[in-house]
Amino acid sequence: RKEVEQDPGPFNVPEGATVAFNCTYSNSASQSFFWYRQDCRKEPKLLMSVYSSGNEDGRFTAQLNRASQYISLLIRDSKLSDSATYLCVVNPTPSGNTGKLIFGQGTTLQVKP
Amino acid sequence: GAVVSQHPSWVICKSGTSVKIECRSLDFQATTMFWYRQFPKQSLMLMATSNEGSKATYEQGVEKDKFLINHASLTLSTLTVTSAHPEDSSFYICSAREKREASYNEQFFGPGTRLTVL
């Protein structure tokens, strides 16, 4: 079983749609969770951290369910510029001191006009 | 702030040659740098963790004698792919973690180096 699993997609949605991505992780001791965005042939960039209480940043909402070891990302009012691969990322160590990050395969989003 | 550069951005080499990739933190000191590899349509895979002034810690399955890592200063780490072969062709990405309290976890990624071995 992969440490971080995501549906690779692609998700094809029209502009303005709401789309949700899910991710599961295997290490129950994990403490830090993130969503990164990666454009084609580019480095990943931090989109947002994911907190236990859930958090929102503009059109983006992240949720964490520790009991189910499940993370989600909701994008509202999709824009063409949201087209990218979204990476679910977990720090598997309890204290987070090592900085080690485990990346999911990524979910590809294509927003169509 | 928090800019990480990589050089070269792409390289093509013949099988059997060695290639050195540099990773620099331009405006901060990085206690730790990480090296990742990404094959097409796959996730980033951590290869090794590099701490300034000490030996790198390699992930399982990564040959330390083939992928030489040097982290001589707080702003520079290098990855040398020795005796490269076509199967080493990949996108190599470094990241750097800023020198702050241990719990701070954000990493800043370099733009990556695309290696093609003929």
Side-chain angles (χ1 to χ4, degrees):
Chain A
R1 182 185 174 187
K2 292 180 183 176
E3 290 187 74
V4 179
E5 292 208 57
Q6 292 181 254
D7 178 350
F11 284 56
N12 295 299
V13 303
E15 269 188 290
T18 295
V19 61
F21 305 138
N22 303 321
C23 165
T24 57
Y25 60 96
S26 61
N27 187 339
S28 60
S30 301
Q31 293 294 321
S32 304
F33 310 91
F34 311 90
W35 283 102
Y36 276 74
R37 169 190 170 134
Q38 186 175 26
D39 292 286
C40 187
R41 293 178 170 264
K42 300 284 189 181
E43 76 276 21
K45 294 187 177 178
L46 180 64
L47 181 64
M48 58 197 303
S49 300
V50 186
Y51 302 118
S52 297
S53 55
N55 49 299
E56 187 176 305
D57 182 1
R59 297 181 293 109
F60 299 85
T61 302
Q63 297 277 355
L64 169 64
N65 183 322
R66 288 187 184 276
S68 302
Q69 295 177 209
Y70 168 99
I71 306 160
S72 67
L73 176 68
L74 182 78
I75 304 176
R76 290 182 298 278
D77 189 22
S78 300
K79 311 290 185 191
L80 294 176
S81 57
D82 293 334
S83 298
T85 296
Y86 291 83
L87 306 171
C88 177
V89 183
V90 174
N91 182 306
T93 54
S95 64
N97 285 351
T98 67
K100 179 175 177 176
L101 297 178
I102 305 297
F103 284 77
Q105 182 183 2
T107 299
T108 299
L109 172 66
Q110 294 176 350
V111 182
K112 307 286 188 182
Chain B
V3 177
V4 176
S5 71
Q6 272 184 249
H7 178 80
S9 55
W10 59 270
V11 57
I12 301 173
C13 69
K14 292 182 179 179
S15 186
T17 60
S18 294
V19 175
K20 179 186 282 189
I21 302 170
E22 292 186 350
C23 177
R24 291 181 186 273
S25 56
L26 297 185
D27 51 2
F28 66 97
Q29 292 186 323
T31 31
T32 308
M33 288 184 171
F34 304 88
W35 286 97
Y36 295 84
R37 180 167 55 180
Q38 185 177 33
F39 292 107
K41 297 191 183 298
Q42 295 188 25
S43 62
L44 276 75
M45 297 297 295
L46 180 65
M47 298 176 68
T49 302
S50 169
N51 292 298
E52 185 262 341
S54 62
K55 289 183 179 180
T57 302
Y58 290 81
E59 295 299 302
Q60 193 173 9
V62 178
E63 299 175 57
K64 62 180 181 181
D65 294 329
K66 180 170 180 64
F67 299 98
L68 303 178
I69 292 172
N70 184 288
H71 192 162
S73 77
L74 284 171
T75 59
L76 173 64
S77 177
T78 61
L79 167 69
T80 301
V81 183
T82 62
S83 186
H85 291 283
E87 58 266 30
D88 298 322
S89 299
S90 186
F91 191 45
Y92 291 86
I93 307 175
C94 73
S95 71
R97 187 167 72 157
E98 201 167 355
K99 187 179 181 183
R100 291 193 186 183
E101 64 274 11
S103 61
Y104 186 78
N105 206 29
E106 184 170 1
Q107 295 179 26
F108 301 96
F109 285 82
T113 297
R114 194 159 300 278
L115 171 64
T116 301
V117 185
L118 302 177

